[in-house]
Amino acid sequence: QSALTQPASVSGSPGQSITISCTGTRRDIGTYNLVSWYQQHPGKAPKVMIYEGDQRPSGVSNRFSGSKSGNTASLTISGLQAEDEADYYCCSYTGDITPFVFGTGTKVTVL
Amino acid sequence: QIQLVQSGAEVKKPGSSVKVSCKASGGTFSNYGISWVRQAPGQGLEWMGGIIPIFGTVNYAQKFQGRVTITADESATTAYMELSSLRPEDTAVFYCARVYRNWFEPWGQGILITVSS
C-alpha cells in the first residue's frame, strides 16, 4: 500500500483560502469516503481536523472543511491565520490487510 | 475524556528490541482500538499496526510484519508495541492513538526511540 500523494508545500497570506489535495486510488479514497485530516505543529502530536471526509470534530474551527472527488480528497482552510501554519496529513481507510494509509504530508506556510 | 500517556524515550543498539507502552485513562479501554504510528525525523506519518482489545484482533502493516508485536493488557488499560531487529533507520518518534471508527483521536505524546551503536 503506497502513501497517498500530497503536495509538499502550500502557502497563503492571512485571510486567504488554501486547498490541500490528497490523491489515492480507487482501492482507498475512491471506494471509501473515510478520509481524515490531521494537523501537526512542530514537536507536537497530530490532531484530527476532519474525519469521514467532511465531518468536523467538536472544537475544530469551521474554517476547516473537507471534500472528495473521485480518488482525491481535499482539505480547505479558509480565512488563513498564523496559527494554521503546520504540517497536514490525510489518512484513508483501505479495507485492506493494511487498513490505514497516510498521505505524504503538506507543509502549510502563512506568508 | 480519553487520554493516552506513553513511556519515556529510549536509546537502543542495532539488532536489539524495544517495547514501549501506552496507558489509557478515561473511557472503556476494551471498546476501542489502539494503533501505533511511526514518524522518522523530518518525515511523515506511517501506520504500523493496531489492536482491538475487546476482540483480541491485531493487524500489522505489511512493511512491519514479522518485526512488530502489538499487545494489550486490559486490566492495566495499557497497550504495548515491541519492535525487534532494530536498525538505525528505525530511529523515530512512535505515537499511539485511539482508533474511533476510522480516525485517530486522541494521540499519545509520542516516544523518541534512537537506534545507535
Side-chain angles (χ1 to χ4, degrees), chain B residues 58-80:
Chain B
V58 185
N59 281 94
Y60 300 118
Q62 285 187 294
K63 176 177 181 175
F64 297 98
Q65 193 87 32
R67 275 214 303 148
V68 66
T69 304
I70 295 172
T71 56
D73 180 342
E74 293 181 57
S75 63
T77 64
T78 300
Y80 302 91

Side-chain angles (χ1 to χ4, degrees), chain B residues 12 16-21 36 48 60 64 66-71 79-86 94:
Chain B
K12 291 293 184 178
S16 67
S17 298
V18 67
K19 186 173 183 177
V20 295
S21 66
W36 288 87
M48 299 178 67
Y60 300 118
F64 297 98
R67 275 214 303 148
V68 66
T69 304
I70 295 172
T71 56
Y80 302 91
M81 187 278 294
E82 182 171 20
L83 188 62
S84 62
S85 302
L86 290 169
F94 292 82

Side-chain angles (χ1 to χ4, degrees), chain A residues 30 35 49-50:
Chain A
V35 175
M49 305 303 283
I50 294 288

Side-chain angles (χ1 to χ4, degrees), chain B residues 26-70:
Chain B
T28 304
F29 179 73
S30 298
N31 287 356
Y32 49 81
I34 296 286
S35 276
W36 288 87
V37 176
R38 183 173 83 169
Q39 186 171 38
Q43 302 299 308
L45 304 172
E46 190 171 26
W47 187 82
M48 299 178 67
I51 187 168
I52 305 175
I54 194 171
F55 298 127
T57 55
V58 185
N59 281 94
Y60 300 118
Q62 285 187 294
K63 176 177 181 175
F64 297 98
Q65 193 87 32
R67 275 214 303 148
V68 66
T69 304
I70 295 172

Side-chain angles (χ1 to χ4, degrees), chain A residues 14 41 80-86 110:
Chain A
H41 287 109
L80 201 60
Q81 299 180 1
E83 68 211 47
D84 300 332
E85 187 162 290
V110 181

